[in-house]
């Protein structure tokens, strides 16, 4: 994600009631929320989160993003929309997942995660087998994991790792037309579509 380092990003994020750093996150922050929970991993500039939280006020969205400068762009959009069903976190999802273990998530969303094509970087892929196991445990019965990518090899790899957990249904769409009901386009997705690249989507239902 090409966003220049923004010197004020961390202070801006700290000023927001709907943001926390993953290190400071505790379940008490969301204990009173009585809505189905959606976790988006790798929020980027926030288009998905903004559209989905606006369209699905009966869901509560937790979005995590490693890069504070990028997240501050998303945060500005969310602040302008004055949404009350979003929490954003700065940090690495691997530190968040253990903190969520007492929860059941309705959806886990992976939109255009970095493919990390080199074998030596496999563990950084957000569909690496260890993470996939954790996602599966966190999903409620009937919950759904959605993965989208432009990258054929990453899609094939992710289908294999996602096949290693016992989803009741695992669907691999090789030319996704944007017609899944619980979905919105992301910044990356628009760029890929403009270039004529096919979007691959994997949907796992527990
Ligand atoms: C290629 S971008 C896609 C952004 C957005 N989802 C989209 O589709 O436009 C991937 C994003 O995931 C974030 N990311 C990568 N690894 C992450 C991790 N372990 N935890 C949280 N965010 C991560 C990156 O910082 C980057 O902003």
């Amino acid at each position: 994600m090409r966003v220049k380092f923004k010197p004020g990003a961390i202070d801006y994020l700290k000023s927001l009631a709907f943001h926390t750093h993953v290190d400071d996150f505790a379940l008490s922050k969301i204990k009173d929320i009585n809505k189905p929970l959606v976790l988006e991993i790798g929020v980027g500039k926030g288009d998905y989160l903004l559209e989905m939280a606006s369209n699905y006020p009966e869901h509560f969205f937790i979005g995590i993003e490693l890069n504070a400068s990028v997240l501050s762009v998303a945060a500005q959009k969310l602040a302008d929309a004055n949404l009350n069903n979003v929490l954003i976190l700065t940090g690495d999802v691997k530190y968040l997942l253990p903190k969520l273990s007492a929860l059941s998530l309705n959806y886990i969303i992976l939109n255009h995660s970095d493919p990390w094509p080199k074998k030596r970087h496999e563990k950084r892929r957000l569909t690496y087998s260890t993470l996939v196991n954790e996602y599966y445990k966190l999903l409620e019965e009937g919950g759904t994991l959605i993965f989208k990518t432009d990258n054929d090899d990453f899609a094939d790899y992710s289908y294999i790792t996602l096949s290693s957990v016992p989803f009741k249904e695992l669907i691999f769409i090789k030319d996704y037309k944007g017609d899944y009901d619980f979905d919105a386009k992301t910044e990356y997705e628009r760029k890929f579509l403009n270039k004529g690249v096919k979007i691959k989507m994997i949907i796992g239902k527990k």
Side-chain angles (χ1 to χ4, degrees):
M1 170 102 4
R2 251 172 274 134
V3 168
K4 276 191 198 148
F5 171 71
K6 294 186 176 220
I10 292 172
D11 286 342
Y12 172 63
L13 289 167
K14 276 187 185 163
S15 75
L16 298 170
F18 64 91
H19 167 267
T20 183
H21 191 280
V22 72
D23 293 346
D24 303 321
F25 175 80
L27 274 190
S28 54
K29 299 224 189 246
I30 52 171
K31 71 176 185 326
D32 295 330
I33 288 159
N34 225 343
K35 296 181 175 200
L37 297 172
V38 182
L39 173 65
E40 190 199 7
I41 304 168
V43 163
K45 292 185 190 167
D47 284 5
Y48 176 91
L49 207 48
L50 176 67
E51 188 173 335
M52 293 298 282
S54 308
N55 288 347
Y56 293 90
E58 74 286 1
H59 280 74
F60 188 87
F61 292 79
I62 303 166
I64 183 160
E65 169 55 56
L66 208 49
N67 182 319
S69 298
V70 174
L71 190 61
S72 72
V73 176
Q76 183 73 67
K77 295 177 192 168
L78 296 164
D80 290 348
N82 209 13
L83 296 164
N84 62 6
N85 59 335
V86 180
L87 175 71
I88 52 172
L89 296 100
T90 312
D92 190 323
V93 71
K94 73 180 175 194
Y95 301 116
L96 176 65
L97 298 176
K99 293 188 176 199
L100 297 179
S101 63
L103 293 180
S104 290
L105 303 178
N106 192 222
Y107 282 94
I108 295 177
I109 310 291
L110 293 157
N111 284 324
H112 304 284
S113 314
D114 303 300
W116 292 107
K118 292 190 176 140
K119 181 71 185 161
R120 69 172 188 276
H121 293 144
E122 183 186 359
K123 287 187 181 173
R124 296 185 192 178
R125 297 177 196 156
L126 288 177
T127 50
Y128 183 63
S129 54
T130 312
L131 286 173
V132 164
N133 270 294
E134 292 188 59
Y135 302 152
Y136 184 79
K137 282 187 206 144
L138 279 174
L139 280 174
E140 64 189 18
E141 283 304 317
T144 306
L145 181 144
I146 297 176
F147 167 89
K148 290 187 285 179
T149 185
D150 68 307
N151 184 303
D152 290 304
D153 291 342
F154 189 35
D156 291 342
Y157 168 88
S158 301
Y159 186 69
I160 292 168
T161 58
L162 289 164
S163 299
S164 71
V165 292
F167 281 115
K168 283 198 183 108
E169 201 176 82
L170 191 65
I171 304 165
F172 190 173
I173 302 165
K174 301 204 172 172
D175 184 7
Y176 172 54
K177 300 294 186 195
D179 50 356
Y180 189 72
D181 53 358
F182 194 84
D183 191 32
K185 286 193 180 62
T186 75
E187 311 82 57
Y188 267 74
E189 199 164 333
R190 286 200 183 91
K191 281 187 206 159
F192 298 138
L193 288 168
N194 285 341
K195 287 185 194 162
V197 178
K198 287 182 184 162
I199 303 300
K200 275 61 70 179
M201 184 189 219
I202 303 173
I203 303 164
K205 281 195 192 288
K206 182 164 170 179

